[in-house]
């Protein structure tokens, strides 16, 4: 009998441990929905330009504002661990509202998402290549044989555009440098600060945030090169969102800059406003990526 009691207790322990493990493996998401609320829940998923905690902190005021403007639905913010996790979500059509980068925008179109707005000024969407001030790196040739960090191969402004810039300067990114994908914008910058990479790709909003939050570290770094600008990030909705609601969501984003509260929210997002846009607004991105994949990163894809 004691043996049976012991085995029963062991099974309970294992079941509890299994439940705890499954709970720990749940996707990172942040919700303020009331339990039992029957209001339709729409997930808003920004691409991981910051870590999940920072995403929640910066974007929750936006979600609160949208919920105030759109009483017929309840919007929740969902953060992603990295670019790969984010891209898996939209390819599986898990979210109703996306805030992707331009490369992800044209990929999300393939699975039924539609652009309703552009997120920020186009002139602010450019790649930055960061180096240490004391590294002695003056020209792109100085990067030959060295490590260059980026958040992800699909980070448009922070990887694709810097790699295209280096290509235009005579650097074969598949042979002349070592590309290191480190998961986030801050990690790309920190790799440069720590000396783990000679240069790092990022773009203006994360670089401005890094300068504010880590002024001592930022003081040891400098922007060596900037790429030309391209169309900025987008806001997209899934194609099964009712047209009337789609228009309400679009208008809520476009109207943010008109109120003091909205301008405060936009300021925290490092964004001046949202602009009207549609799928055709990203045709230039499709052409850019086609050239990039043909001329620059071809060897990585064979």
């Amino acid at each position: 009998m004691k043996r049976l009691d012991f085995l029963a207790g062991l099974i309970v322990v294992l079941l509890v441990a299994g439940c705890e493990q499954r709970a720990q493996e749940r996707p990172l998401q942040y919700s303020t929905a009331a339990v039992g609320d029957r209001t339709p829940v729409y997930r808003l998923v920004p691409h991981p330009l910051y870590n999940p905690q920072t995403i929640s902190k910066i974007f929750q005021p936006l979600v609160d504002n949208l919920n105030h403007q759109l009483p017929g639905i309840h919007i929740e913010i969902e953060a992603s661990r990295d670019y790969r996790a984010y891209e898996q979500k939209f390819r599986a059509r898990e979210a109703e509202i996306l805030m992707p980068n331009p490369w992800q925008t044209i990929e999300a179109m393939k699975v039924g998402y539609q652009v309703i707005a552009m997120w920020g000024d186009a002139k602010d969407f450019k790649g930055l290549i960061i180096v240490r001030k004391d590294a002695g790196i003056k020209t792109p040739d100085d990067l030959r044989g060295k490590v260059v960090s980026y958040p992800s191969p699909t980070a448009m402004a922070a990887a694709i555009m810097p790699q295209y810039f280096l290509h235009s300067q005579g650097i074969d990114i598949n042979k002349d440098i070592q590309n290191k994908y480190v998961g986030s914008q801050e990690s790309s910058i920190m790799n440069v600060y720590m000396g783990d990479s000679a240069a790092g790709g990022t773009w203006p909003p994360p670089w401005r945030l890094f300068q504010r939050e880590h002024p001592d570290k930022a003081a040891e770094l400098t922007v060596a090169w900037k790429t030309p600008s391209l169309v900025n990030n987008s806001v997209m909705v899934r194609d099964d969102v009712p047209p009337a609601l789609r228009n309400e969501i679009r208008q809520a984003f476009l109207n943010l800059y008109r109120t003091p509260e909205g301008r405060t929210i936009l300021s925290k997002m490092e964004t001046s406003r949202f602009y009207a846009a549609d799928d055709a607004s990203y045709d230039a991105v499709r052409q850019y990526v086609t050239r990039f994949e043909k001329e620059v990163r071809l060897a990585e894809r064979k």
Side-chain angles (χ1 to χ4, degrees), residues 242-264:
L245 178 57
R246 166 197 168 110
N247 290 335
E248 290 178 14
I249 295 171
R250 176 179 181 271
Q251 205 57 49
F253 276 98
L254 298 183
N255 287 339
L256 268 174
Y257 80 101
R258 299 182 183 277
T259 67
E261 176 190 0
R263 289 191 290 272
T264 298

Side-chain angles (χ1 to χ4, degrees), residues 189-202:
I189 298 169
M190 281 298 297
N191 265 255
V192 180
Y193 172 76
M194 297 295 292
D196 295 328
S197 59
T202 188

Side-chain angles (χ1 to χ4, degrees), residues 21-30 45-53 55 78-89 151-152 182-185 187:
Q21 183 176 8
R22 285 193 294 273
Q24 292 171 358
E25 293 172 353
R26 292 179 63 191
L28 291 167
Q29 60 183 11
Y30 304 86
V45 188
H47 79 276
L49 70 168
Y50 306 114
N51 64 51
Q53 291 73 29
I55 285 282
E78 182 171 318
S80 306
R81 288 184 178 84
D82 52 32
Y83 282 74
R84 181 186 296 272
Y86 178 75
E87 289 153 16
Q88 288 174 342
K89 289 177 184 178
S152 163
V182 295
S184 72
Q185 302 281 343
S187 293

